CSV table of all heavy atoms in Angstrom, one decimal:
chain,number,residue,atom,x,y,z
A,85,THR,N,2.2,-4.0,27.1
A,85,THR,CA,2.0,-2.7,27.8
A,85,THR,C,0.7,-2.0,27.5
A,85,THR,O,0.2,-1.1,28.2
A,85,THR,CB,3.1,-1.7,27.4
A,85,THR,OG1,3.0,-1.4,26.0
A,85,THR,CG2,4.5,-2.4,27.6
A,86,GLY,N,0.0,-2.4,26.4
A,86,GLY,CA,-1.2,-1.8,26.0
A,86,GLY,C,-1.0,-0.4,25.4
A,86,GLY,O,-2.0,0.3,25.1
A,87,ARG,N,0.2,-0.1,25.1
A,87,ARG,CA,0.5,1.3,24.5
A,87,ARG,C,0.4,1.2,23.0
A,87,ARG,O,0.7,0.2,22.3
A,87,ARG,CB,1.9,1.7,24.9
A,87,ARG,CG,2.1,2.0,26.3
A,87,ARG,CD,3.5,2.5,26.6
A,87,ARG,NE,4.4,1.5,26.3
A,87,ARG,CZ,5.7,1.6,26.5
A,87,ARG,NH1,6.2,2.7,26.9
A,87,ARG,NH2,6.6,0.6,26.1
A,88,ASN,N,-0.1,2.3,22.4
A,88,ASN,CA,-0.1,2.4,20.9
A,88,ASN,C,1.3,2.4,20.4
A,88,ASN,O,2.2,3.1,20.9
A,88,ASN,CB,-0.9,3.7,20.5
A,88,ASN,CG,-2.3,3.6,20.6
A,88,ASN,OD1,-2.9,2.5,20.5
A,88,ASN,ND2,-3.0,4.7,20.8
A,89,ILE,N,1.5,1.7,19.3
A,89,ILE,CA,2.7,1.8,18.6
A,89,ILE,C,2.4,2.0,17.1
A,89,ILE,O,1.3,1.5,16.7
A,89,ILE,CB,3.6,0.6,18.8
A,89,ILE,CG1,2.9,-0.7,18.4
A,89,ILE,CG2,4.1,0.5,20.2
A,89,ILE,CD1,3.8,-1.9,18.4
A,90,VAL,N,3.2,2.6,16.4
A,90,VAL,CA,3.0,2.7,14.9
A,90,VAL,C,3.7,1.6,14.2
A,90,VAL,O,5.0,1.6,14.3
A,90,VAL,CB,3.4,4.1,14.4
A,90,VAL,CG1,3.2,4.2,12.9
A,90,VAL,CG2,2.6,5.2,15.0
A,91,SER,N,3.0,0.7,13.6
A,91,SER,CA,3.7,-0.5,13.1
A,91,SER,C,4.1,-0.2,11.6
A,91,SER,O,3.2,0.1,10.8
A,91,SER,CB,2.7,-1.7,13.1
A,91,SER,OG,3.3,-2.7,12.4
A,92,SER,N,5.4,-0.2,11.4
A,92,SER,CA,5.9,0.0,10.0
A,92,SER,C,6.0,-1.4,9.4
A,92,SER,O,6.5,-1.5,8.3
A,92,SER,CB,7.2,0.7,10.0
A,92,SER,OG,8.2,0.0,10.8
A,93,ARG,N,5.6,-2.5,10.1
A,93,ARG,CA,5.8,-3.8,9.7
A,93,ARG,C,4.5,-4.4,9.0
A,93,ARG,O,4.5,-5.5,8.5
A,93,ARG,CB,6.2,-4.7,10.8
A,93,ARG,CG,7.4,-4.3,11.6
A,93,ARG,CD,7.7,-5.3,12.7
A,93,ARG,NE,8.1,-6.6,12.2
A,93,ARG,CZ,7.9,-7.7,12.8
A,93,ARG,NH1,7.3,-7.7,14.0
A,93,ARG,NH2,8.2,-8.9,12.3
A,94,VAL,N,3.5,-3.6,8.9
A,94,VAL,CA,2.3,-4.1,8.2
A,94,VAL,C,2.5,-4.0,6.7
A,94,VAL,O,2.7,-2.9,6.2
A,94,VAL,CB,1.0,-3.3,8.6
A,94,VAL,CG1,-0.2,-3.7,7.8
A,94,VAL,CG2,0.8,-3.5,10.1
A,95,PRO,N,2.4,-5.1,5.9
A,95,PRO,CA,2.5,-5.0,4.5
A,95,PRO,C,1.3,-4.2,3.9
A,95,PRO,O,0.2,-4.4,4.2
A,95,PRO,CB,2.4,-6.4,4.0
A,95,PRO,CG,2.8,-7.2,5.2
A,95,PRO,CD,2.2,-6.5,6.4
A,96,LEU,N,1.6,-3.2,3.1
A,96,LEU,CA,0.6,-2.4,2.5
A,96,LEU,C,1.0,-1.9,1.1
A,96,LEU,O,2.2,-1.8,0.8
A,96,LEU,CB,0.3,-1.2,3.4
A,96,LEU,CG,1.5,-0.3,3.8
A,96,LEU,CD1,1.5,0.9,3.0
A,96,LEU,CD2,1.5,0.0,5.3
A,97,PRO,N,0.0,-1.7,0.3
A,97,PRO,CA,0.3,-1.1,-1.0
A,97,PRO,C,0.9,0.3,-0.9
A,97,PRO,O,0.4,1.1,-0.1
A,97,PRO,CB,-1.1,-1.1,-1.7
A,97,PRO,CG,-2.0,-2.0,-0.9
A,97,PRO,CD,-1.5,-1.9,0.5
A,98,GLN,N,1.9,0.5,-1.7
A,98,GLN,CA,2.4,1.9,-1.8
A,98,GLN,C,1.6,2.7,-2.8
A,98,GLN,O,1.2,2.2,-3.8
A,98,GLN,CB,3.9,1.8,-2.3
A,98,GLN,CG,4.8,1.0,-1.4
A,98,GLN,CD,4.8,1.4,0.1
A,98,GLN,OE1,5.0,2.6,0.3
A,98,GLN,NE2,4.6,0.5,1.0
A,99,TYR,N,1.3,3.9,-2.4
A,99,TYR,CA,0.3,4.7,-3.1
A,99,TYR,C,0.9,5.9,-3.8
A,99,TYR,O,1.6,6.6,-3.2
A,99,TYR,CB,-0.8,5.1,-2.1
A,99,TYR,CG,-2.0,5.9,-2.7
A,99,TYR,CD1,-2.8,5.3,-3.6
A,99,TYR,CD2,-2.2,7.2,-2.2
A,99,TYR,CE1,-3.9,6.0,-4.1
A,99,TYR,CE2,-3.3,7.9,-2.7
A,99,TYR,CZ,-4.1,7.3,-3.7
A,99,TYR,OH,-5.2,8.0,-4.2
A,100,LEU,N,0.6,6.1,-5.0
A,100,LEU,CA,0.9,7.3,-5.8
A,100,LEU,C,2.4,7.5,-6.0
A,100,LEU,O,2.9,7.3,-7.0
A,100,LEU,CB,0.2,8.5,-5.3
A,100,LEU,CG,-1.2,8.7,-5.7
A,100,LEU,CD1,-1.8,10.0,-5.1
A,100,LEU,CD2,-1.4,8.8,-7.2
A,101,ASN,N,3.0,8.0,-4.9
A,101,ASN,CA,4.5,8.2,-5.0
A,101,ASN,C,5.3,7.0,-4.7
A,101,ASN,O,6.5,7.1,-4.6
A,101,ASN,CB,4.9,9.4,-4.1
A,101,ASN,CG,4.5,9.2,-2.7
A,101,ASN,OD1,3.9,8.2,-2.4
A,101,ASN,ND2,4.9,10.1,-1.8
A,102,GLY,N,4.7,5.9,-4.5
A,102,GLY,CA,5.4,4.6,-4.4
A,102,GLY,C,5.2,3.8,-5.6
A,102,GLY,O,5.1,4.3,-6.8
A,103,SER,N,5.2,2.5,-5.4
A,103,SER,CA,5.0,1.6,-6.6
A,103,SER,C,3.6,1.4,-7.1
A,103,SER,O,3.4,0.9,-8.1
A,103,SER,CB,5.6,0.2,-6.2
A,103,SER,OG,5.1,-0.3,-5.0
A,104,ASP,N,2.6,1.9,-6.3
A,104,ASP,CA,1.2,2.0,-6.7
A,104,ASP,C,0.7,0.7,-7.3
A,104,ASP,O,0.1,0.6,-8.3
A,104,ASP,CB,1.1,3.1,-7.8
A,104,ASP,CG,-0.1,3.9,-7.7
A,104,ASP,OD1,-0.9,3.7,-6.8
A,104,ASP,OD2,-0.3,4.8,-8.5
A,105,GLN,N,1.0,-0.4,-6.5
A,105,GLN,CA,0.7,-1.8,-7.0
A,105,GLN,C,-0.7,-2.0,-7.5
A,105,GLN,O,-1.0,-2.6,-8.5
A,105,GLN,CB,1.1,-2.8,-6.0
A,105,GLN,CG,2.5,-2.8,-5.5
A,105,GLN,CD,2.7,-2.1,-4.2
A,105,GLN,OE1,2.1,-1.1,-3.9
A,105,GLN,NE2,3.5,-2.7,-3.3
A,106,LEU,N,-1.7,-1.6,-6.7
A,106,LEU,CA,-3.1,-1.9,-7.0
A,106,LEU,C,-3.5,-1.1,-8.2
A,106,LEU,O,-4.2,-1.7,-9.0
A,106,LEU,CB,-3.9,-1.6,-5.8
A,106,LEU,CG,-3.7,-2.5,-4.5
A,106,LEU,CD1,-4.5,-2.0,-3.3
A,106,LEU,CD2,-4.0,-3.9,-4.8
A,107,PHE,N,-3.2,0.1,-8.3
A,107,PHE,CA,-3.6,0.9,-9.5
A,107,PHE,C,-2.9,0.4,-10.7
A,107,PHE,O,-3.5,0.3,-11.8
A,107,PHE,CB,-3.3,2.4,-9.3
A,107,PHE,CG,-3.9,3.3,-10.4
A,107,PHE,CD1,-5.3,3.5,-10.4
A,107,PHE,CD2,-3.1,3.9,-11.3
A,107,PHE,CE1,-5.9,4.3,-11.4
A,107,PHE,CE2,-3.7,4.7,-12.3
A,107,PHE,CZ,-5.1,4.8,-12.3
A,108,THR,N,-1.6,0.0,-10.6
A,108,THR,CA,-0.9,-0.6,-11.7
A,108,THR,C,-1.6,-1.9,-12.2
A,108,THR,O,-1.7,-2.2,-13.4
A,108,THR,CB,0.6,-0.8,-11.3
A,108,THR,OG1,1.2,0.4,-11.0
A,108,THR,CG2,1.3,-1.5,-12.5
A,109,ALA,N,-2.0,-2.7,-11.2
A,109,ALA,CA,-2.7,-4.0,-11.5
A,109,ALA,C,-4.0,-3.7,-12.3
A,109,ALA,O,-4.3,-4.4,-13.2
A,109,ALA,CB,-3.0,-4.8,-10.2
A,110,LEU,N,-4.7,-2.6,-11.8
A,110,LEU,CA,-5.9,-2.3,-12.5
A,110,LEU,C,-5.6,-1.8,-13.9
A,110,LEU,O,-6.3,-2.2,-14.9
A,110,LEU,CB,-6.7,-1.1,-11.7
A,110,LEU,CG,-7.9,-0.6,-12.4
A,110,LEU,CD1,-9.0,-1.7,-12.4
A,110,LEU,CD2,-8.5,0.6,-11.6
A,111,ARG,N,-4.6,-1.0,-14.1
A,111,ARG,CA,-4.3,-0.5,-15.5
A,111,ARG,C,-3.9,-1.7,-16.4
A,111,ARG,O,-4.3,-1.7,-17.5
A,111,ARG,CB,-3.1,0.5,-15.4
A,111,ARG,CG,-3.5,1.9,-15.0
A,111,ARG,CD,-2.4,2.9,-15.3
A,111,ARG,NE,-2.1,3.0,-16.7
A,111,ARG,CZ,-1.1,3.7,-17.2
A,111,ARG,NH1,-0.4,4.4,-16.4
A,111,ARG,NH2,-0.9,3.7,-18.5
A,112,ASN,N,-3.1,-2.6,-15.9
A,112,ASN,CA,-2.7,-3.7,-16.7
A,112,ASN,C,-3.9,-4.6,-17.1
A,112,ASN,O,-3.9,-5.2,-18.2
A,112,ASN,CB,-1.7,-4.6,-15.9
A,112,ASN,CG,-0.3,-3.9,-15.8
A,112,ASN,OD1,0.0,-3.1,-16.6
A,112,ASN,ND2,0.5,-4.3,-14.8
A,113,TRP,N,-4.9,-4.7,-16.2
A,113,TRP,CA,-6.1,-5.4,-16.4
A,113,TRP,C,-6.9,-4.8,-17.6
A,113,TRP,O,-7.3,-5.4,-18.5
A,113,TRP,CB,-6.9,-5.5,-15.2
A,113,TRP,CG,-8.0,-6.5,-15.1
A,113,TRP,CD1,-8.2,-7.5,-16.0
A,113,TRP,CD2,-9.0,-6.6,-14.1
A,113,TRP,NE1,-9.3,-8.3,-15.6
A,113,TRP,CE2,-9.8,-7.7,-14.4
A,113,TRP,CE3,-9.3,-5.9,-12.9
A,113,TRP,CZ2,-10.9,-8.1,-13.6
A,113,TRP,CZ3,-10.3,-6.3,-12.1
A,113,TRP,CH2,-11.1,-7.4,-12.5
A,114,VAL,N,-7.1,-3.4,-17.5
A,114,VAL,CA,-7.9,-2.7,-18.4
A,114,VAL,C,-7.1,-2.6,-19.8
A,114,VAL,O,-7.7,-2.8,-20.8
A,114,VAL,CB,-8.2,-1.3,-17.9
A,114,VAL,CG1,-8.8,-0.4,-19.0
A,114,VAL,CG2,-9.2,-1.4,-16.7
């Protein structure tokens, strides 16, 4: 259809009030 849809199916890091995966990985590294 060419219409915009908001995809909730894109895997993405949860930020701050979620699991904060990337920042947690950085902390574990440091």
Side-chain angles (χ1 to χ4, degrees):
T85 66
R87 293 179 299 180
N88 280 334
I89 57 174
V90 176
S91 174
S92 59
R93 301 181 68 209
V94 174
L96 54 101
Q98 303 300 311
Y99 182 61
L100 278 178
N101 55 355
S103 51
D104 220 358
Q105 299 101 318
L106 294 175
F107 190 71
T108 298
L110 178 64
R111 282 194 59 184
N112 287 337
W113 197 11
V114 170

